Structure formats: C-alpha cells, structure tokens
Amino acid sequence: MSFSVEVKTELCRVPLNRRCCAQAEAYGVLLYCNTFSAAQARIVTENSAFAQRLPALFRKAFKLTFDRLPQGEGKQIFVVSNPDKLATIHQAFGRDLKSLALHLNFAVVEENCCRAAFLRGAFLAGGSVTDPRKGYHLELTTSHHSVNREVLALMRELDQEPKSAQRKGNAVIYFKQSDKIEDFLTCIGAPVAAMEVMNAKLERDLRGKVNRRVNCDAANLDKAVEAAMSQVEAIRRLEAEGALATLPDKLQEVAALRLAHPEDTLTQLAERCDPPITKSALNHRLRKLVELGRG
C-alpha cells in the first residue's frame, strides 16, 4: 500500500457529522475530480476507502444518490447526470450554470472546519503525497486554473505557503518541505500520516548524522594511520643512520614504543610511557623525531 493510499484511507475515517463540512468536502471533491459541469459530475478513483465514503458524503451533503455506481474492479466511477440532482449540487455552491469557468465560492468555506473539509475533499479527489522515506512532495492537481488560484489564496489565509505550477495543461499546488506537509496533513484530518512524515524526517536526520560521524571517524583514522607510518619511517631512518642512540632518553623511549606499537593512538602510547605523559607531550616528541628523521 502506497503512502498516498494510507493517507486517503486515514482521511476517509473522519466522521461526517456536520452538513456544512460535508458540503465543503464534497465541494473540494467536485472541483478536483474528473468532471464537474452543468451536464455531469464524474468522479474517478482507485482508492477503495474513498469509493466507500463517496455515497455517504453525497447523501449527507445533498441528500441525493449517484446515478451511476462503480461496476467491477479497477477504477471506481461515480456519476451524477440527472438534471435535478445537478441543479441541487450547483445551487448549494451558488454556481451560475452559464459560466464557462469554475470558481471557488468562498462563502462555502467561511469556517475553519469547512476549509479543512474542503481541502480534505480536494486531496481525496486530486491529491497525492510521496512516501516520506523517499522524499517530500505533496500536491493537489486540477484542470480548473481559476480554482487553483483561489485555493492557493485560501491556503495562504490558513498560514500555509504552497507553491504553484502548470503541468500538462493542469494547475498544481504543491509542498516540498516536510514541515509544511505535516501541517497540511494535520489540517485536513490525517495526524497519523503527519507523524509518519515527522518520524521519517527524524530518522533521515539521524542517519545523516551517523553517516557524517562515521565518515569523520574514518577520516580521522586515516590521518592517524598516515601519521603513525610517517613516524615509524622517520624512526627507522634515524636508527639506520645510527642517530637514534644519540638522542635524549625521552625521545628514545617514545621511538621504541612507537616501533613496538605502531597501531596505538597517541593517548594509548602516552599511557605506555614510564611515567605516563600527556598526549600533547607525546605528540611533541613524535613531531621532533619526524623532523630529525627528515634531516
């Protein structure tokens, strides 16, 4: 099951209590569905939960039934073509049937609960969201460009800042930030899905921090190994030249310890000195040996 399907299934569990909110949700569905005109309302979906919700939604919103219900498997198609039923729907939204372009009637979405319901319907009919474990992208797509502009204004009134684009003749509103997607999903009634987005972001951030730490540790280890090899080479050079035996006892001790324990860290090597010395003191003596070894 895709993340979009999970989100829509969660949204379909939101109860249909108030008629005003049911009408607002149905309004969102109709403005983002396959066809909504004076001659027909046609809703196409492959989401079984949404298909089960639609008849109850239209009964609650308009007290009417669909003229055509889904037949068989695959795409589920719902149609209202009866002129009287269509008139009831259009009148509920104050639409002039002579108008060629659809518009959002803001009077239908005056209350915040109705605005959330409207956006829920729009997402159910024309929305999708990417699995947050793969990326962050949520969008609403409609063929009605006037509706897109007006919904964009509505969402900005709700302190949401989506972006807008055109794609294959359709108008698209979209989010690409995880926190904006979380806010939108919470607003329309999918808090569980919003939490999944949040958890996915936290997991991704944690994985990134671990990878950076591992890379940093690996880089530090490479530097330590390279430094130890340089120290061993310098000490062997001094030894081959007979110069090692002429050095102060402290340098000879450190040289002997480095040759005996080439894999030790500076801290480990400093603890082997008799008496133990600080890491800084050891590092100073090793640098001196390297300088002498280079001649």
Side-chain angles (χ1 to χ4, degrees):
M1 183 185 296
S2 71
F3 186 65
S4 272
V5 172
E6 291 178 7
V7 173
K8 292 184 179 183
T9 300
E10 181 183 357
L11 292 175
C12 288
R13 291 196 288 266
V14 176
L16 298 168
N17 293 330
R18 302 178 64 184
R19 190 181 183 197
C20 64
C21 290
Q23 286 187 342
E25 183 176 326
Y27 199 19
V29 169
L30 291 165
L31 292 180
Y32 279 80
C33 71
N34 181 266
T35 304
F36 182 39
S37 67
Q40 186 184 70
R42 186 172 186 266
I43 305 165
V44 181
T45 182
E46 294 182 357
N47 187 285
S48 58
F50 183 35
Q52 292 173 9
R53 184 177 180 84
L54 277 169
L57 176 64
F58 273 59
R59 281 196 303 271
K60 183 72 173 181
F62 313 114
K63 298 182 180 179
L64 57 78
T65 58
F66 286 98
D67 297 319
R68 175 184 168 185
L69 292 171
Q71 303 292 324
E73 301 294 329
K75 289 184 177 180
Q76 307 289 295
I77 301 174
F78 297 79
V79 177
V80 177
S81 54
N82 179 283
D84 292 335
K85 292 181 181 179
L86 287 169
T88 297
I89 294 173
H90 286 286
Q91 287 169 8
F93 304 132
R95 180 168 184 252
D96 181 2
L97 297 183
K98 296 179 182 179
S99 174
L100 295 177
L102 284 175
H103 290 275
L104 171 61
N105 182 353
F106 283 89
V108 179
V109 290
E110 286 185 333
E111 301 296 329
N112 283 338
C113 59
C114 293
R115 292 180 178 187
F118 171 83
L119 293 173
R120 178 167 57 249
F123 183 81
L124 286 169
S128 64
V129 59
T130 302
D131 187 332
R133 290 166 293 187
K134 299 177 181 178
Y136 305 122
H137 184 88
L138 182 149
E139 67 178 43
L140 300 174
T141 304
T142 179
S143 59
H144 309 298
H145 293 260
S146 297
V147 169
N148 183 77
R149 289 192 298 271
E150 291 151 2
V151 171
L152 194 61
L154 174 69
M155 294 175 75
R156 285 172 176 164
E157 287 183 12
L158 293 171
D159 294 327
Q160 296 176 1
E161 292 295 332
K163 297 185 183 298
S164 182
Q166 306 295 319
R167 185 195 304 142
K168 297 180 180 179
N170 291 322
V172 181
I173 289 174
Y174 66 94
F175 295 104
K176 279 191 171 295
Q177 300 89 2
S178 62
D179 56 333
K180 301 297 183 184
I181 294 173
E182 291 167 24
D183 291 343
F184 180 79
L185 292 176
T186 300
C187 171
I188 64 176
V192 175
M195 186 63 68
E196 285 192 41
V197 175
M198 184 182 301
N199 289 339
K201 182 177 186 299
L202 292 173
E203 183 178 333
R204 179 178 290 186
D205 290 346
L206 179 60
R207 188 179 294 114
K209 289 179 181 178
V210 170
N211 287 338
R212 286 192 294 273
R213 179 62 182 272
V214 169
N215 291 338
C216 181
D217 289 345
N220 289 338
L221 181 59
D222 289 343
K223 289 179 181 178
V225 170
E226 185 179 343
M229 290 176 62
S230 297
Q231 294 157 9
V232 169
E233 288 176 5
I235 293 168
R236 291 199 183 282
R237 192 176 300 115
L238 289 170
E239 191 175 40
E241 295 172 354
L244 186 61
T246 66
L247 297 179
D249 292 344
K250 292 180 179 180
L251 292 182
Q252 290 189 48
E253 179 190 25
V254 168
L257 287 172
R258 174 49 85 196
L259 291 176
H261 307 282
E263 76 287 351
D264 272 10
T265 64
L266 293 182
T267 301
Q268 292 170 330
L269 211 60
E271 291 174 351
R272 292 183 185 277
C273 290
D274 186 19
I277 60 176
T278 65
K279 176 180 173 181
S280 176
L282 176 75
N283 193 37
H284 175 74
R285 294 178 190 180
L286 287 170
R287 280 205 305 267
K288 185 65 175 179
L289 288 168
V290 171
E291 290 173 5
L292 293 171
R294 288 173 180 171

